[in-house]
Amino acid sequence: MNYNPNFDVDAILEFLRGVNEKYQEGSPEDEAIRIAAVALFYVRETQKLDDYREFFRSFYTPAIDYIKVSRTFTTREEADTWLASGEAREGDRVSIAGQGFRVIPERKEQGLRFLRSPLPEELMKNFPPDSP
């Protein structure tokens, strides 16, 4: 599915209004369309449209296109130095010697650590889409 990051909320609401006219008031279809339209209106009115656009993008974007590596390191020592520097943020995705990791909080301690989290490219290489 192609994603249009600049979708026009007013045009979508107008489209939903037109579709809704085809259904009897009080029908399940009428209710579903009204709920969707009001939800979109709410997102706009509460000034959360940018957040919604990002959520929508991530919902329909394949992981291989969505997951972005924030830093790449040749060695684990390099990565550990960066982690200790205070620059790392929880949730950062990094590549260390070609393997993916996520920065997460230490257990029962302050600080951060790496959790092995294969990157989409690794998964595609190890488990191609055509494999059983």
Side-chain angles (χ1 to χ4, degrees):
M1 171 180 194
N2 291 333
Y3 170 68
N4 174 6
N6 299 310
F7 59 83
D8 182 344
V9 173
D10 291 324
I12 292 170
L13 290 169
E14 187 60 35
F15 174 80
L16 290 173
R17 189 175 301 116
V19 170
N20 196 37
E21 290 174 358
K22 298 176 182 176
Y23 296 101
Q24 182 178 357
E25 189 172 329
S27 69
E29 295 85 357
D30 170 63
E31 181 180 24
I33 293 169
R34 280 187 297 112
I35 289 170
V38 171
L40 190 53
F41 185 74
Y42 174 81
V43 166
R44 183 179 65 185
E45 291 302 306
T46 59
Q47 299 179 8
K48 299 289 184 185
L49 188 54
D50 288 338
D51 292 342
Y52 179 75
R53 287 179 195 277
E54 176 58 24
F55 174 78
F56 186 83
R57 184 188 69 77
S58 69
F59 193 82
Y60 281 104
T61 303
I64 198 159
D65 297 330
Y66 180 68
I67 293 175
K68 301 295 180 204
V69 173
S70 61
R71 297 289 296 257
T72 300
F73 302 99
T74 309
T75 65
R76 179 62 185 243
E77 293 76 25
E78 239 184 291
D80 288 337
T81 300
W82 173 76
L83 191 65
S85 75
E87 290 181 48
R89 297 288 169 251
E90 184 179 344
D92 283 349
R93 296 294 301 252
V94 299
S95 176
I96 304 171
Q99 294 185 324
F101 292 83
R102 179 183 304 267
V103 176
I104 65 169
E106 280 282 355
R107 288 187 209 139
K108 301 180 184 178
E109 297 178 29
Q110 289 187 326
L112 299 170
R113 66 184 181 103
F114 292 116
L115 173 68
R116 180 74 170 101
S117 298
L119 298 169
E121 312 75 78
E122 292 177 81
L123 296 173
M124 293 291 285
K125 187 170 83 176
N126 294 330
F127 306 101
D130 296 326
S131 68

